[in-house]
C-alpha cells in the first residue's frame, strides 16, 4: 500500500482540472503524495464539509483549493480546518479570473487563505508552496525542492539569442 497523501487538491468542478492539474504535476515531480477531488462549495456542500473537517484526521498537511467565478471553495475549506489552505483562482470566461481572485483573496480576518496567481502559474506555485511548507519538517523534500529551483535557475538563458 502506498503512502497516504499529504496534500489534498480540490476543485469546484471537473473543468477546473485543466488548471489544477499543474499543481498535481508539480507535486508529483517533487515526489509529494497527493490526492485530487472535485468538491463544489455550492453544489456539494456536504462533500466539502466532510472533506475539510476530515482532512487532518486522514493525514493531510496542506489543502490546495482551486475555484472559479464566485470561488468560495478555498475560503469555506479554510473555515473548517486548521490546515493551511492555498487558493488558486481559476480563470473565468466572464471576468478573466479577477472575480475568482477577489473572492479568494478578500477573506475576513481570522480565516486565512494563501492566495496564488490566476490560472496555471498559480497552480504551479501552489504546488511549490505546499511542498515548501512540507519541506520545513522533511529534509529530503527540502533537498528535492532546492534541486528543482536550481534546475529552474540553470534553464534561464544568459543571452537573448
Amino acid at each position: 500500500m502506498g503512502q497516504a497523501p499529504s496534500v489534498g487538491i480540490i476543485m469546484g468542478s471537473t473543468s477546473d482540472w485543466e488548471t489544477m492539474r499543474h499543481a498535481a504535476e508539480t507535486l508529483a515531480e517533487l515526489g509529494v503524495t497527493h490526492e485530487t477531488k472535485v468538491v463544489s462549495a455550492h453544489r456539494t456542500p456536504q462533500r466539502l464539509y466532510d472533506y475539510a473537517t476530515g482532512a487532518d484526521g486522514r493525514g493531510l498537511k496542506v489543502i490546495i483549493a482551486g475555484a472559479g467565478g464566485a470561488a468560495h471553495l478555498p475560503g469555506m475549506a479554510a473555515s473548517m480546518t486548521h490546515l493551511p489552505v492555498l487558493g488558486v483562482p481559476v480563470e473565468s470566461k466572464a471576468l478573466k479570473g479577477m472575480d475568482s481572485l477577489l473572492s479568494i483573496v478578500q477573506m475576513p480576518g481570522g480565516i486565512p487563505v494563501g492566495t496564488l496567481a490566476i490560472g496555471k502559474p498559480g497552480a504551479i506555485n501552489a504546488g511549490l508552496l505546499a511542498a515548501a511548507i512540507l519541506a520545513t519538517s522533511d529534509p529530503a523534500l527540502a533537498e528535492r525542492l532546492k534541486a528543482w529551483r536550481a534546475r529552474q535557475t540553470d534553464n534561464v538563458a544568459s543571452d537573448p539569442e
Side-chain angles (χ1 to χ4, degrees), residues 17-146:
W17 178 242
E18 182 55 35
T19 297
M20 299 309 294
R21 70 181 179 85
H22 299 286
E25 290 167 1
T26 300
L27 290 170
E29 187 177 343
L30 291 166
V32 176
T33 58
H34 60 279
E35 65 182 19
T36 58
K37 301 286 182 197
V38 175
V39 179
S40 171
H42 302 118
R43 293 180 303 266
T44 64
Q46 188 63 52
R47 188 183 303 171
L48 168 58
Y49 177 83
D50 294 343
Y51 189 90
T53 59
D56 178 48
R58 292 185 308 102
L60 292 181
K61 304 293 184 212
V62 180
I63 296 173
I64 299 173
H72 290 131
L73 181 61
M76 289 304 298
S79 75
M80 293 184 260
T81 183
H82 69 278
L83 298 176
V85 175
L86 308 177
V88 177
V90 174
E91 187 172 335
S92 58
K93 289 180 180 153
L95 298 172
K96 303 294 183 206
M98 285 302 294
D99 49 345
S100 311
L101 173 65
L102 295 174
S103 292
I104 296 171
V105 77
Q106 200 57 33
M107 289 298 295
I111 311 293
V113 173
T115 308
L116 287 298
I118 297 168
K120 178 181 175 180
I124 292 168
N125 284 343
L128 291 170
L129 187 54
I133 291 167
L134 296 172
T136 63
S137 61
D138 182 339
L141 176 56
E143 289 306 312
R144 293 193 304 274
L145 188 56
K146 288 176 190 175

